[in-house]
Amino acid sequence: MSVRYTEFHPRWHRPRMSVFWWVGRRSYLVFVLRELSSVFVAWSVVFLLLLVHAVSEGGKQYQQFRNLSSNPWMLALNVVTLAFLLFHAITWFNLAPSAMVVRMRGKRVPRSWIAGAHYAGWALLSALVAWLIVG
Amino acid sequence: MAKRRAEPLVWLLFTSGGLAAALLLPVLLVLFGLVFPAGWASAPAEAHLLSVARYPLTRIVLLGLFALPLGAQVPLHALRGTPAQAPQQADHRRLLRRRASGIGLRGLPLAGRPMSQGRLLAIS
């Protein structure tokens, strides 16, 4: 009778994690949704690249882009994308005070000022861009 | 001289990508993804857009807006926090870094190409 030797191999303790580990708690859900927003950021960049490409190619391509963007599916996708973009922007501006510590005359500038400055810049830039485009 | 690490630089790219995306993408998507297609305002003529896009400052801003998120912000976000991020931290991080830089390196030329072709570069 032959004896089978097995190598000593400690088994790792790795508890299985559900793919939906982030659903149970609100903070986890928000975290994962925020990470997910990057996919929509990427899509919006691609969408704008298509626009720039169409504009650089000429009138016919621009018309094609406009037809594409008024397709109901595309509209729906862009509404969802917009929701994620706003979520990304608002959470971004709200965490800015934690990342930036600004001191003025030896005193730390209040968090609300930093967040406020970001929101003001956002509004200003958006207005400027809209004015440039709508003309 | 002390050895410099590349990590702070990557974080700088990451934050500027996030900031650029937060500041400029919403208004552009509201206009071109919703307001114009839904007909709430008439879409600008192609000639007007072309003249705006030809302006050098616009081109620099657009290049930053396209390249930074695609090159740094999106890859890092998209790969972080995946369920696989369990105990094998060191290995996993190395893998994430490689994948993120892979996607980023592919994203950059994608962002640059339409900016440097066609009538955008033609001098009027």
Side-chain angles (χ1 to χ4, degrees):
Chain A
M1 195 177 136
S2 66
V3 181
R4 290 184 62 210
Y5 291 96
T6 50
E7 278 181 50
F8 174 67
H9 186 74
R11 290 218 281 156
W12 299 101
H13 175 65
R14 279 178 190 156
R16 278 202 163 267
M17 247 208 186
S18 158
V19 179
F20 297 102
W21 59 270
W22 42 278
V23 181
R25 203 185 275 186
R26 206 185 114 85
S27 55
Y28 293 167
L29 184 72
V30 172
F31 166 73
V32 168
L33 283 183
R34 188 161 198 290
E35 297 295 298
L36 200 67
S37 73
S38 69
V39 176
F40 291 93
V41 167
W43 160 244
S44 59
V45 169
V46 170
F47 182 72
L48 292 172
L49 275 169
L50 288 177
L51 168 69
V52 171
H53 179 74
V55 168
S56 80
E57 288 289 302
K60 199 173 149 222
Q61 266 81 357
Y62 180 54
Q63 191 52 48
Q64 275 173 2
F65 174 83
R66 286 182 54 188
N67 294 343
L68 174 77
S69 65
S70 50
N71 178 308
W73 287 106
M74 195 52 101
L75 258 173
L77 172 65
N78 280 340
V79 168
V80 176
T81 304
L82 192 61
F84 271 98
L85 278 187
L86 289 177
F87 178 55
H88 171 261
I90 289 167
T91 47
W92 182 270
F93 295 136
N94 286 345
L95 71 78
S98 308
M100 288 173 70
V101 178
V102 183
R103 289 179 185 282
M104 241 162 72
R105 292 191 198 135
K107 266 188 169 175
R108 185 170 171 176
V109 174
R111 294 175 62 90
S112 57
W113 287 23
I114 295 179
H118 276 84
Y119 278 108
W122 189 27
L124 207 73
L125 264 177
S126 300
L128 181 75
V129 168
W131 174 75
L132 256 179
I133 289 170
V134 179
Chain B
M1 205 173 88
K3 195 182 160 207
R4 302 216 174 173
R5 299 187 56 191
E7 204 175 318
L9 217 87
V10 176
W11 281 112
L12 182 71
L13 286 179
F14 170 76
T15 51
S16 23
L19 188 64
L23 283 175
L24 288 172
L25 284 181
V27 60
L28 288 171
L29 205 77
V30 163
L31 289 175
F32 289 105
L34 193 60
V35 170
F36 299 145
W40 298 339
S42 56
E46 180 242 347
H48 173 68
L49 283 185
L50 186 65
S51 70
V52 171
R54 264 189 188 161
Y55 197 63
L57 184 66
T58 316
R59 258 186 272 162
I60 294 171
V61 169
L62 280 184
L63 189 63
L65 178 64
F66 294 157
L68 286 173
L70 276 194
Q73 198 252 351
V74 169
L76 280 174
H77 263 311
L79 296 172
R80 205 155 54 106
T82 47
Q85 198 176 39
Q88 316 85 323
Q89 286 288 351
D91 276 1
H92 189 70
R93 276 207 198 139
R94 210 169 302 133
L95 188 75
L96 277 190
R97 225 163 18 216
R98 208 172 307 140
R99 277 199 203 148
S101 53
I103 296 180
L105 287 180
R106 259 164 241 142
L108 280 176
L110 182 77
R113 240 187 62 198
M115 304 299 302
S116 56
Q117 73 181 17
R119 296 187 298 159
L120 274 190
L121 276 191
I123 295 158
S124 48

